[in-house]
Amino acid sequence: MQIALFGGRFDPIHNGHLAIAQEVLRSAPSVDEVWLVPDNHHHWNPTVASPKQRLEMLTLVQTDKIKANDIGIQVSHLRDGMTATIDVIRELQKKTKNTYIFIAGSDQLPRLSEWTDYKELTMRLPFLIVPRKGHTLKGNLPDNCFWLTDKEYEPLEDSATRVRERLANGQSISDLVPKSVEDYIKKHHLYGA
């Protein structure tokens, strides 16, 4: 199987994340599944919700997808502690016969070279770069990176920062996150809800 790994803080997961995963499944015919791989801790940007809470929100989304008979998006429970992406890839490639690509937003391009063991990482698997609003870069891509090239794809403006800001201001997030995630956030009073 060909698996597209989609790593991130998911603090919280939002409709923009899901739109990217669905677009990869739709427009990359060699991809069988997209695995959401949450960071337990993030090296550059601290998380707000705990690793357990973010994983629970991802699991709610996966359950929603299964109920809707949309099983192409799965949640990976691999990361623990300060695990770097390269460690996850080494472990996956050792344990399984799947092939992998890594999904990264175009906002990550300027920092890719700062990732732990970046050169080894790009030798181990290709990176699929997905355009994000305000972060489309021109020029050459790093080695073993390629653009998502579907001309029909329109990046959403959704961001976890926007979700958190709206909640802090007492505004609705129902158009930004799945209902199950919105209910979870309210129940656990996350992000100022």
Side-chain angles (χ1 to χ4, degrees):
M1 277 202 336
Q2 171 100 327
I3 308 296
L5 302 172
F6 187 2
R9 289 185 303 162
F10 301 111
D11 197 15
I13 185 165
H14 53 73
N15 294 336
H17 292 130
L18 295 174
I20 290 169
Q22 289 164 337
E23 176 62 20
V24 169
L25 285 168
R26 189 183 74 71
S27 64
S30 62
V31 171
D32 298 299
E33 292 180 352
V34 173
W35 290 2
L36 305 174
V37 186
D39 290 328
N40 196 14
H41 299 284
H42 198 275
H43 295 285
W44 300 320
N45 298 309
T47 57
V48 178
S50 72
K52 178 179 181 277
Q53 290 168 325
R54 290 180 291 115
L55 185 59
E56 286 174 350
M57 286 186 275
L58 287 170
T59 303
L60 285 170
V61 169
Q62 180 176 315
T63 301
D64 292 345
K65 293 289 181 189
I66 290 169
K67 285 180 186 170
N69 204 23
D70 179 4
I71 56 173
I73 300 173
Q74 304 290 324
V75 177
S76 169
H77 301 262
L78 288 170
R79 290 191 171 184
D80 195 15
M82 290 294 283
T83 307
T85 301
I86 187 64
D87 296 324
V88 172
I89 301 307
R90 288 172 183 149
E91 182 180 343
L92 282 172
Q93 290 178 334
K94 191 187 304 183
K95 286 183 173 179
T96 71
K97 297 202 182 290
N98 296 326
T99 58
Y100 299 95
I101 63 172
F102 199 91
I103 301 169
S106 57
D107 57 316
Q108 292 295 312
L109 277 175
R111 296 191 92 162
L112 275 183
S113 63
E114 297 174 31
W115 291 23
T116 303
D117 294 333
Y118 167 72
K119 288 192 184 217
E120 179 187 346
L121 190 58
T122 57
M123 287 185 343
R124 283 184 171 268
L125 79 169
F127 276 64
L128 173 60
I129 308 300
V130 178
R132 287 199 61 186
K133 278 205 175 183
H135 296 281
T136 304
L137 299 179
K138 296 185 171 136
N140 295 331
L141 287 175
D143 289 342
N144 212 16
C145 293
F146 60 99
W147 283 106
L148 178 74
T149 56
D150 182 1
K151 293 185 188 333
E152 307 278 317
Y153 175 67
E154 181 65 34
L156 296 178
E157 287 189 64
D158 297 354
S159 72
T161 302
R162 190 169 168 211
V163 172
R164 295 190 303 268
E165 286 173 353
R166 276 210 197 164
L167 285 165
N169 293 321
Q171 298 172 315
S172 172
I173 58 166
S174 60
D175 60 327
L176 299 179
V177 298
K179 175 84 166 77
S180 58
V181 173
E182 181 180 17
D183 291 345
Y184 182 95
I185 288 169
K186 287 178 179 175
K187 178 181 177 182
H188 295 276
H189 307 289
L190 295 175
Y191 316 114

